[in-house]
Amino acid sequence: MKGKKKMTVNQMVLIALAACINAAGGQAALALRLPVYLDSVGTILAGILLGPVYGMLPSLLSGILMGMTADIYSLYFAPVGMITGFMAGLASRGMPELMGHTSWSRLFLASAMITIPGTVVSALICAGLFGGITSSGSTILVQLLSHTPLGMTASVFLVQILTDFADRTVSLFLAAAAAGAVPARLRQAVCGQQGRTRSH
C-alpha cells in the first residue's frame, strides 16, 4: 500500500477539464450531425499526460454526465472511451514524441493503436444493443450500407472502423498539440515523476 501513489489535486483538475472537453466536443458533433464524435479529445489528452489508468477516467465522467443530461447513448459507450484513454496512455509511452512534432506516419500508427480495441467494443455495443442506430451522424452511413449485401452487422463494423479511425486521428492530433504546448514546468506539476521522465 505504501508504494501506491495518490491522485494529486492537479491531476484531478486535469481529469475534470478533460471530461468537460469531451462533453463539449461531443455536443458540437451532435449539433452539427458530424460523422465523427469529437468526444475523446480530453480522454486522449489525459492519457498522453497522465498515463493509461488515469486516461480512462475522463470518458467515465463525461459518459455519466452526458448520459444523464443530453445523450443517453454516451452512457452505454463510456467503456469505449475508457479503452481509448487506456490505449492513448500506452501509445504515448511507446511514442513520447507525440507531445511534440511527430511525423504523419507515426501519428496514424498511434491512431490505429488507439482505435482498434475500442472499435471492436463499440461495434458490438452499437450492433448488439441498438441495431446500428445511435445519435451519431454515422448512423446515416450505417443505414445506407445495411441495405446492401453487407447487412447490418458488417455495415456497423465497417462504418465504426472508418469513423472511429477518422475521429481518433483528429482527436489525437488536437490532444497531442495541446499536450506539446504545455510548458515543461506545468507538465511536471501535473504529471509528477512521469512528467520529469518525458521532459528529457
Side-chain angles (χ1 to χ4, degrees), residues 6-70:
K6 292 184 178 180
M7 186 185 299
T8 67
V9 172
N10 288 331
Q11 289 168 339
M12 291 179 187
V13 171
L14 176 60
I15 290 169
L17 175 62
C20 292
I21 293 172
N22 286 346
Q27 281 295 91
L30 278 176
L32 297 173
R33 300 299 293 173
L34 299 177
V36 292
Y37 318 111
L38 300 182
D39 60 354
S40 59
V41 178
T43 293
I44 294 174
L45 177 63
I48 290 174
L49 291 176
L50 300 178
V53 176
Y54 288 164
M56 294 190 292
L57 297 180
S59 276
L60 176 61
L61 296 176
S62 60
I64 293 172
L65 174 65
M66 292 291 291
M68 295 177 65
T69 57

Side-chain angles (χ1 to χ4, degrees), residues 60-92:
L60 176 61
L61 296 176
S62 60
I64 293 172
L65 174 65
M66 292 291 291
M68 295 177 65
T69 57
D71 181 28
I72 187 61
Y73 293 103
S74 297
L75 191 58
Y76 290 95
F77 286 96
V80 178
M82 294 173 70
I83 293 171
T84 298
F86 186 84
M87 295 306 298
L90 292 182
S92 69

Side-chain angles (χ1 to χ4, degrees), residues 83-158:
I83 293 171
T84 298
F86 186 84
M87 295 306 298
L90 292 182
S92 69
R93 285 182 176 179
M95 304 179 197
E97 69 274 15
L98 283 176
M99 285 196 291
H101 299 287
T102 187
S103 66
W104 283 106
S105 60
R106 299 284 281 179
L107 183 72
F108 288 140
L109 178 61
S111 180
M113 178 181 174
I114 293 169
T115 300
I116 293 172
T119 295
V120 173
V121 176
S122 178
L124 290 174
I125 293 172
C126 187
L129 293 181
F130 303 112
I133 300 175
T134 66
S135 58
S136 170
S138 63
T139 293
I140 298 171
L141 298 176
V142 171
Q143 296 306 307
L144 290 174
L145 288 175
S146 67
H147 296 294
T148 69
L150 285 173
M152 177 59 74
T153 302
S155 296
V156 171
F157 273 93
L158 178 61

Side-chain angles (χ1 to χ4, degrees), residues 172-195:
L172 178 59
F173 177 80
L174 294 173
V182 175
R185 289 184 64 182
L186 179 57
R187 190 186 310 150
Q188 181 176 321
V190 173
C191 307
Q193 182 61 41
Q194 189 178 41

